[in-house]
Amino acid sequence: MGSRAPILAPGRSATRTMMLWCPDWPITAILRDLAIPENAPLALIDKGEVFACSPAARLDGVRRGLRVREAQARCPALTVKHYDPDLDERVFEPVVTAIEQIMPGVQLVRPGLCAIQTQGPSRYYGGESLAAAALIATLTALGLTAARIGIADSPFAAEHAARATEVLVGVEQDPIWVVPAGGSAQFLGSFPLEVLEEPRLTVLLKRLGIRTLGEFAALDATDVRNRFGIEGALAHRKACGLDHRSVVARTPPPELDVAVDFEPALVRIDQLAFAFRTAADRFVERLRETGLVCTVLRVVLHSESGEVSDRLWRHPRWFDADDVLDRVRWQLQGGGLIEHGLHSGITRVHTIPETVEDLGDHADGLWGTGPDESIHHGLARVQSMLGHGAVLTASIAGGRMLKDRRVFIPWGDSPAGNPLTAMEKSQPWPGRIPGPAPATVFDEPQQVQVLDTQGGSVDVDSRGMLITVPSEFSPPGATVRMTVHHWAGPWPVTERWWDSSGRTLNRFQLVDATGAAWLLLLEDHQWWAEASYD
Amino acid sequence: MGQDLFSTDPAESQGNHSLLQEKINQMQGSRLGSRRLPTVPALGRILPGGGLMAGGTYSVENSSTLAMALLAGPSGSGAWCSVIGIPDFSVEAAAHLGIELERLILIPHVDSQWLTVTAAMVDVVSIILTRAPATITGSDAARLKARLRQRGAALISIGSWPQSEAVLSVSDNRWGGLGTGSGHLQTRQFRITATANNGRSRSTDLSLAELKHGGWPQLDGADNFRDTHRFVPTMVSA
């Protein structure tokens, strides 16, 4: 976080700091991102428990740490969302950028909390309070009305000054708390030891009869160091308002994303691909200038009717300009053809490098990087012909039905992110077929006929027992009837009986007169071929 | 027949020319200086030339299992494989027969672009399994074959293929383990017949277990059968 200034250097090394705090940032972030009104009851869930909730929800009794059910019972109108730390950072980024516009030297402590060196801004704006007021005005313009600012001698004291503004009520209500220079130790004096966030030390000090930071700060620094070690010594300096950290300004990251606006909106994909061509080149070129390559790309499309399409695209190697263009096109066409028209015109295409890696790690070797590269180029060519989802790699997943056990993942997508591969194949799947795997698993089950000696369709009764015995069989797409040589079944399969999408069926294995073996399904009195052992 | 070929009528001789050319093509094969790809030993015994030839095309008449077994050799020794236009391909059976799924590319639906896609994939992978559309013409097949020969790749077609090196088919299926109302399929015995383009045919009786073969020679750099620096090909005497 901060640079390690020589620990316990003599004298006052701490910098006077302005700390900006946005209370409930995770909530603010998601409200801003989803454009939900501020007074809507909303809770963020992390690991099944409420992680944060909006003020409206808090009024109804929702608290951090509640189970989801309990929170929903207390506040029936509650909107429940999953907590996403990335979203916090993403939404805070424009705030930091806006602050950097008016005062330099911003350090991002965590989303919702950032430190600014006071010296420069206070001289420029003619005083610390005036600088803080200018900052508040900027944030209000961004729509952040709840921001609070504390100014003190150290980042630690400044953070608690910002938090302390919450206790001000009535006429004294003010989002800014300025602790006068040299007054930080006195300001912190009445705080309980818990604010140090050192649980072991806190317990120990309490047993020694020390209950507040003031009492702790009154101890001699050398004694504290000898008795409590380095950890204690750092905490002691914090309590004295002499934080060992100082504000380390971040270097604003280079602007890597590329957005293109279209006026008037474009309605044809080929038009749009042509218009975005140079932007895609610029996107890749800009990354290359900073020595980076993009491995995960986010494409955001805005349409005339206000729809936003947002999708992450992965790449087995890294994106070049053609790849970027292909992804934009695929996202536009969905499953349709290249010449396919759009529902409404596209007004804006925005490409964001979601994950970047060092160019050096991806450089081609002197003799190329081997066959994988040529394979990738070839497959990318086929993908640009047929679409992203047409070139697949396969893996085996768990499942009872043979089709469920086969999972296709488009070339270039990571198998880790695919929910289908989550079905573990190593788990026991009662009802799966023993013996050799059939070589043909029909994409769509094929209709067949299994007849008894009387010529009627074979069926099972309500108890799952065969009523008549299979004697003749006609394979898919054929009208000939063949004698059944061997057969076995019924093997009942009941999938998700608790769910309307569940199914109940009976499986059979059957060898016909030609020696062909089939795996058959009997569902709703209708016979289907699931697979063939050809 | 021999007399007809040397007829003097120009229109007829034109027809005869193409007929002759086709006959020459058929008898010539692509075996000059070609190399063998790793093949399951049981199938190598009956294939012309002792195994799958780089640049060759083979057609398998009635068995996906047999086609997968042909793919298993190159795949097991590090080559990339592709399955084009077969939506019913069973990945699980392929894995059981020894095809490496990490190096398997599936393009189940190609619609009208079969030839373009297959030609593009010849550049990429070493062995292709496909179901050729009925509309494929002899000239398309010849062009694809030239490309296969140039790239050292092989093509296996389920269903007929003009000018294939050999036509393989499965007959006499005998299943073990299944009774009448009891048991389940466990073992399979069958006869595989390979008919070479010169009309000679050989057959062998096999069990399903014999089609599985481990311990393929490993190639360093994935699909490079062409990379003679790393892989010393077996030259085959014609």
Side-chain angles (χ1 to χ4, degrees):
Chain A
M1 195 178 288
S3 74
R4 291 287 170 100
I7 294 163
L8 303 193
R12 305 168 65 87
S13 63
T15 2
R16 192 141 172 90
T17 308
M18 168 153 46
M19 196 66 103
L20 168 74
W21 176 53
C22 302
D24 282 339
W25 182 254
I27 289 291
T28 318
I30 196 154
L31 288 175
R32 285 171 74 86
D33 191 57
L34 300 177
I36 302 174
E38 256 177 62
N39 50 10
L42 179 102
L44 290 176
I45 308 300
D46 192 28
K47 299 192 186 97
E49 289 180 352
V50 174
F51 175 80
C53 58
S54 67
R58 203 171 294 139
L59 275 182
D60 281 346
V62 180
R63 292 284 176 275
R64 185 177 175 160
L66 275 189
R67 311 280 312 162
V68 182
R69 287 275 167 91
E70 176 72 26
Q72 282 170 329
R74 290 190 188 181
C75 175
L78 192 68
T79 314
V80 172
K81 298 275 174 199
H82 278 278
Y83 173 56
D84 174 15
D86 293 346
L87 178 87
D88 288 3
E89 293 201 23
R90 204 163 65 230
V91 182
F92 200 57
E93 182 56 35
V95 178
V96 177
T97 315
I99 300 171
E100 273 168 347
Q101 301 276 325
I102 60 160
M103 36 185 86
V106 181
Q107 178 190 9
L108 182 63
V109 181
R110 62 168 179 268
L113 189 69
C114 61
I116 305 151
Q117 285 174 1
T118 322
Q119 201 187 10
S122 78
R123 198 179 298 162
Y124 181 82
Y125 289 101
E128 286 171 346
S129 326
L130 292 173
L135 187 54
I136 290 281
T138 310
L139 293 175
T140 311
L142 281 177
L144 282 175
T145 47
R148 291 161 189 284
I149 293 173
I151 300 176
D153 292 336
S154 70
F156 177 75
E159 184 186 337
H160 286 284
R163 288 181 192 277
T165 54
E166 280 198 314
V167 300
L168 299 176
V169 283
V171 282
E172 288 191 319
Q173 199 169 16
D174 187 3
I176 305 166
W177 186 311
V178 183
V179 179
S184 294
Q186 197 191 346
F187 165 75
L188 289 170
S190 59
F191 280 77
L193 287 172
E194 277 77 12
V195 297
L196 286 173
E197 288 171 7
E198 299 273 2
R200 276 177 51 217
L201 185 69
T202 308
V203 170
L204 204 55
L205 289 173
K206 280 191 172 172
R207 287 191 188 159
L208 292 172
I210 294 167
R211 309 214 163 260
T212 61
L213 289 186
E215 289 168 15
F216 184 39
L219 299 177
D220 183 65
T222 323
D223 291 345
V224 170
R225 163 142 203 177
N226 288 343
R227 175 65 183 78
F228 299 107
I230 194 82
E231 182 189 317
L234 291 176
H236 185 256
R237 282 181 71 87
K238 274 190 189 172
C240 295
L242 305 167
D243 207 334
H244 66 284
R245 299 168 300 173
S246 61
V247 177
V248 179
R250 70 161 197 169
T251 317
E255 188 68 30
L256 293 175
D257 42 342
V258 165
V260 180
D261 292 289
F262 299 108
E263 182 65 46
L266 296 183
V267 286
R268 286 182 58 85
I269 292 172
D270 42 359
Q271 261 180 347
L272 199 125
F274 188 74
F276 194 68
R277 174 87 239 184
T278 49
D281 284 334
R282 197 166 70 232
F283 174 76
V284 173
E285 191 51 44
R286 213 179 271 181
L287 280 167
R288 191 162 302 156
E289 276 168 14
T290 38
L292 298 169
V293 288
C294 171
T295 53
V296 182
L297 173 79
R298 180 184 291 275
V299 178
V300 185
L301 305 167
H302 297 260
S303 79
E304 215 169 14
S305 55
E307 289 167 297
V308 178
S309 149
D310 183 338
R311 187 179 163 171
L312 275 186
W313 295 93
R314 281 164 218 288
H315 200 282
R317 300 180 68 237
W318 45 272
F319 287 98
D320 65 17
D322 286 337
D323 295 332
V324 173
L325 201 60
D326 271 343
R327 298 315 185 272
V328 171
R329 227 173 49 193
W330 293 340
Q331 186 165 333
L332 281 167
Q333 79 201 47
L337 293 168
I338 312 268
E339 289 79 20
H340 180 78
L342 297 165
H343 295 301
S344 69
I346 295 293
T347 51
R348 181 181 168 87
V349 178
H350 190 182
T351 52
I352 305 153
E354 193 72 15
T355 305
V356 287
E357 285 174 27
D358 197 75
L359 185 61
D361 296 341
H362 286 266
D364 290 344
L366 191 52
W367 286 280
T369 36
D372 280 358
E373 187 188 358
S374 63
I375 283 169
H376 175 68
H377 281 307
L379 294 181
R381 226 180 94 206
V382 178
Q383 271 185 325
S384 60
M385 261 188 266
L386 297 173
H388 178 66
V391 180
L392 307 164
T393 54
S395 64
I396 302 171
R400 286 179 189 84
M401 305 313 287
L402 292 167
K403 218 182 140 187
D404 298 341
R405 297 179 65 84
R406 161 176 80 176
V407 174
F408 293 133
I409 301 152
W411 172 259
D413 279 8
S414 123
N418 197 315
L420 292 171
T421 46
M423 300 241 282
E424 246 322 301
K425 65 175 170 193
S426 59
Q427 303 284 329
W429 285 97
R432 56 169 293 214
I433 295 294
T440 297
V441 174
F442 296 112
D443 209 23
E444 292 294 326
Q446 308 278 310
Q447 198 163 353
V448 296
Q449 281 190 318
V450 178
L451 307 172
D452 56 23
T453 43
Q454 312 297 307
S457 187
V458 176
D459 208 345
V460 292
D461 61 20
S462 53
R463 303 187 66 106
M465 304 298 282
L466 267 186
I467 301 169
T468 46
V469 171
S471 134
E472 284 185 321
F473 169 71
S474 47
T479 48
V480 287
R481 288 186 189 172
M482 286 182 290
T483 320
V484 172
H485 274 200
H486 302 286
W487 60 275
W491 301 329
V493 177
T494 307
E495 280 208 309
R496 295 191 296 277
W497 46 265
W498 60 90
D499 192 351
S500 61
S501 69
R503 45 202 298 221
T504 306
L505 43 87
N506 285 286
R507 266 174 161 160
F508 290 78
Q509 271 179 340
L510 185 145
V511 176
D512 64 24
T514 60
W518 302 86
L519 184 63
L520 305 179
L521 303 176
L522 174 60
E523 188 175 14
D524 275 343
H525 316 291
Q526 180 64 55
W527 286 86
W528 306 91
E530 185 189 6
S532 152
Y533 296 82
D534 60 349
Chain B
M1 174 82 177
Q3 284 294 48
D4 297 349
L5 287 178
F6 301 102
S7 155
T8 45
D9 180 9
E12 205 178 316
S13 95
Q14 184 66 38
N16 286 338
H17 263 136
S18 57
L19 207 74
L20 261 177
Q21 189 63 51
E22 201 175 302
K23 225 174 161 63
I24 291 170
N25 277 346
Q26 254 184 24
M27 294 172 78
Q28 225 173 14
S30 61
R31 232 179 297 157
L32 277 177
S34 54
R35 297 175 287 100
R36 263 205 299 262
L37 302 178
T39 317
V40 178
L43 296 178
R45 281 198 290 275
I46 57 166
L47 282 171
L52 282 181
M53 291 297 164
T57 50
Y58 297 83
S59 71
V60 176
E61 266 182 354
N62 52 4
S63 171
S64 308
T65 310
L66 182 54
M68 286 178 190
L70 289 172
L71 237 59
S75 178
S77 48
W80 284 72
C81 303
S82 180
V83 178
I84 301 171
I86 308 180
D88 300 338
F89 186 81
S90 163
V91 176
E92 208 171 356
H96 281 225
L97 281 170
I99 297 176
E100 287 292 328
L101 296 187
E102 292 95 67
R103 289 192 298 272
L104 178 70
I105 305 294
L106 295 131
I107 308 178
H109 304 283
V110 284
D111 304 325
S112 55
Q113 306 196 52
W114 181 87
L115 189 67
T116 333
V117 170
T118 309
M121 290 306 286
V122 170
D123 292 345
V124 181
V125 301
S126 299
I127 186 155
I128 289 175
L129 173 63
T130 183
R131 180 172 286 141
T135 52
I136 185 166
T137 60
S139 62
D140 285 342
R143 266 165 40 210
L144 203 57
K145 191 162 182 169
R147 196 143 177 175
L148 284 167
R149 218 178 301 179
Q150 189 192 352
R151 293 283 171 184
L155 184 137
I156 295 161
S157 156
I158 294 185
S160 67
W161 179 267
Q163 306 160 22
S164 60
E165 311 287 315
V167 180
L168 290 102
S169 63
V170 162
S171 56
D172 294 347
N173 276 302
R174 292 178 303 283
W175 291 92
L178 196 66
T180 319
S182 62
H184 67 84
L185 293 176
Q186 284 173 14
T187 58
R188 180 183 187 183
Q189 298 271 338
F190 43 45
R191 163 166 293 198
I192 298 172
T193 311
T195 311
N197 52 12
N198 56 13
R200 249 180 294 179
S201 83
R202 278 188 270 189
S203 57
T204 178
D205 284 301
L206 279 181
S207 72
L208 188 61
E210 283 172 87
L211 277 186
K212 292 177 193 167
H213 177 78
W216 298 103
Q218 285 303 306
L219 306 177
D220 301 350
D223 79 319
N224 281 332
F225 287 112
R226 309 148 213 162
D227 193 347
T228 45
H229 297 289
R230 291 186 185 143
F231 182 73
V232 182
T234 329
M235 293 299 285
V236 177
S237 53

